[in-house]
Amino acid sequence: MKESWRWYGPFDKIRLPEIAQTGATGIVNALHEVPYGEVWSREAIADRAGEIRAAGFEWSVVESLPIHERIKRGDGDLSALFANYRQSMANLAAEGVTTICYNFMPLLDWTRTDLTAPVTGGGTCLRYSAPRMAAFELHMLGRAEAEADYPEDVRQAAAIWFQQSTEADRNQLLMSIMSGLPGAYDRYDVAGLRDALTLYDGLGQDALRDNYKRFLEEVIPTAEELGMRLCVHPDDPPRDILGLPRIVSDVNDIKWIMGAVDSVANGLTLCSGSLGANPANDVPAIAKQFADRIHFAHLRNVAKDPDGSFEEAAHLDGDTDMVALIAVLLNEEKRRIAEGRRDVEIPFRPDHGHEILMDAERGTHPGYPLIGRLRGLAELRGVIRALSHEGTQHG
């Protein structure tokens, strides 16, 4: 498995020489400065790739080449947007970057309600509180339909939190929810979010799936021609949110996606944290079922609460058996070697570390501290080395 590290380029307060000290050899990067829907020029890609190579790394994965919201909505004539996406793919391939992670979550990417939840022993983590999310939807956004999305005990807890909250608490909650947009630096206020959501009125799961299948049909043939691998990131959290449908949340969703355009180029980013937040998901089993289509892995762990809340756990703690999961990925690499595939090595990155020690002083992107992720990478590296030494047949 290829040790990689997410780097936000010029927006990142962690510099490439610091990343080099982690031992990672691959960089996961994107041209976040390019507006959604526009072409990533070959010149811009070459400049970024050159910067990464000069620091001693390989640009191993694009995360992400964003999909314009109009494609997700199926809104109007999309031919130019599809053409631009394919051209960006061709420009990346020409510079040797052939793996693209992307998501198909409407409007928002990952969503958390707390960015600095305290961790036992010190430090902080990202947390999704179902009561706080319900408070936001019901009492701040005023989305009456959300009554049906939360059980009674969560709605009661939401009402209590809202009654006791200050304006500063509510502003902090809004900021936390908006923080999962790493590439789209625009942030909504409550009124703006309410307006943005109206563009998705009437968009259900079936319609979103139709739009997703159309996207795959438009771009996967190009990926095959270019020798590229696309890999969808699961929904985070893996449930409908803000009235927006989610369609990459469980084993049945993934099965549908892989069959919508049946090609090895149509693959999966195995995110153990996103999938692990759904109590119905057995993450190692999902990895085993779709192993031949996993082109990238986000390795992190979550600890779930009965009310639907969850928080980021240490990488080897939490509810997912990380040792069993890594064993699946290592066994898949062995299978690919035996099959003669060219894409043998699965790149992975330690995802969403705790903020520990001096991390809080750096002001990095939420969930992406230096020391917390370094701890996670070291732990994961140890598991990989131990399983490789044993010959990797675990579970």
Side-chain angles (χ1 to χ4, degrees), residues 356-379:
I356 56 177
L357 302 173
M358 286 76 72
D359 278 333
E361 301 170 8
R362 295 294 295 268
T364 57
H365 288 72
Y368 291 92
L370 176 59
I371 302 171
R373 280 189 290 166
L374 174 57
R375 173 189 169 181
L377 178 59
E379 292 174 344

Side-chain angles (χ1 to χ4, degrees), residues 158-206:
I160 292 171
W161 181 88
F162 183 75
Q163 290 164 6
Q164 296 177 346
S165 66
T166 64
E167 183 177 357
D169 293 332
R170 297 167 192 172
N171 288 338
Q172 181 64 42
L173 177 59
L174 173 65
M175 188 274 288
S176 298
I177 291 171
M178 290 296 102
S179 291
L181 292 171
Y185 286 93
D186 292 335
R187 297 290 184 259
Y188 300 107
D189 58 15
V190 170
L193 179 59
R194 193 180 291 124
D195 290 342
L197 287 170
T198 62
L199 297 174
Y200 299 83
D201 285 348
L203 182 71
Q205 284 193 342
D206 289 343

Side-chain angles (χ1 to χ4, degrees), residues 234 238 249-251 254 268-291 294 297-302 304 318-326 328-329:
S249 293
D250 59 25
V251 65
I254 298 169
L268 173 67
T269 295
L270 195 286
C271 181
S272 55
S274 298
L275 291 171
N278 184 339
N281 287 339
D282 180 335
V283 180
I286 290 174
K288 190 171 184 178
Q289 182 172 346
F290 300 105
I294 295 173
H298 290 177
L299 299 183
R300 62 182 174 90
N301 224 320
V302 297
K304 297 184 288 293
D319 298 334
T320 293
D321 185 340
M322 190 63 69
V323 176
L325 175 58
I326 290 173
V328 171
L329 299 177

